[in-house]
Amino acid sequence: QVQLVESGGGSVQAGGSLRLSCAASGFPYETGYMGFFRLAPGKEREGVATIGISTEKIYYADSVKGRFTISRDSAKNTLYLQMNSLKPEDTGIYYCAAGQPSAEWLLRTQGYDYWGQGAQVTVNS
């Protein structure tokens, strides 16, 4: 059974930093991608960043490039999202996800089969 458990959310002032973690277990495959998505109030869930499980190729949403960094510790089966220079518009519930998306679905929810429970990130202005 695949389990993805996020931790590290919280509340921070604009310009601050937070780091999310996602502990993974029970993966049925050794390829594919793990990533973070977010659900902001009044918006659809959107891809933030994703990393190839075996390739370590990384893709970011334009809105977070230069501010967020995704990384993966394969020995610990843990995914990280370091978020710097946070803005109020980064507020939302952040979800960890895993799947085998095709190139067009790398930052789209349709490309991912497994999801964590979500972690709230609130950025105050």
Side-chain angles (χ1 to χ4, degrees):
Q1 181 179 357
V2 176
Q3 284 194 316
L4 302 173
V5 181
E6 298 101 335
S7 60
S11 182
V12 67
Q13 291 296 113
S17 298
L18 285 173
R19 189 175 82 155
L20 298 177
S21 299
C22 172
S25 62
F27 265 20
Y29 41 74
E30 296 184 351
T31 60
Y33 284 80
M34 289 186 67
F36 284 96
F37 289 71
R38 68 185 178 193
L39 180 62
K43 296 185 177 180
E44 295 185 351
R45 194 177 303 194
E46 63 174 353
V48 174
T50 193
I51 182 170
I53 293 172
S54 59
T55 66
E56 297 193 346
K57 289 183 177 180
I58 291 174
Y59 300 89
Y60 293 102
D62 289 343
S63 58
V64 306
K65 283 179 181 177
R67 301 188 299 121
F68 290 12
T69 301
I70 190 170
S71 61
R72 181 171 172 266
D73 186 331
S74 58
K76 296 181 179 179
N77 288 328
T78 302
L79 186 70
Y80 301 100
L81 185 68
Q82 177 66 42
M83 303 182 289
N84 298 329
S85 303
L86 281 160
K87 304 175 181 180
E89 52 262 44
D90 294 318
T91 294
I93 302 173
Y94 283 68
Y95 297 88
C96 177
Q100 296 181 302
S102 59
E104 63 188 295
W105 300 110
L106 287 172
L107 288 175
R108 304 282 295 275
T109 57
Q110 295 93 329
Y112 294 79
D113 303 307
Y114 304 101
W115 295 86
Q117 83 283 1
Q120 177 69 46
V121 170
T122 302
V123 184
N124 302 302
S125 57

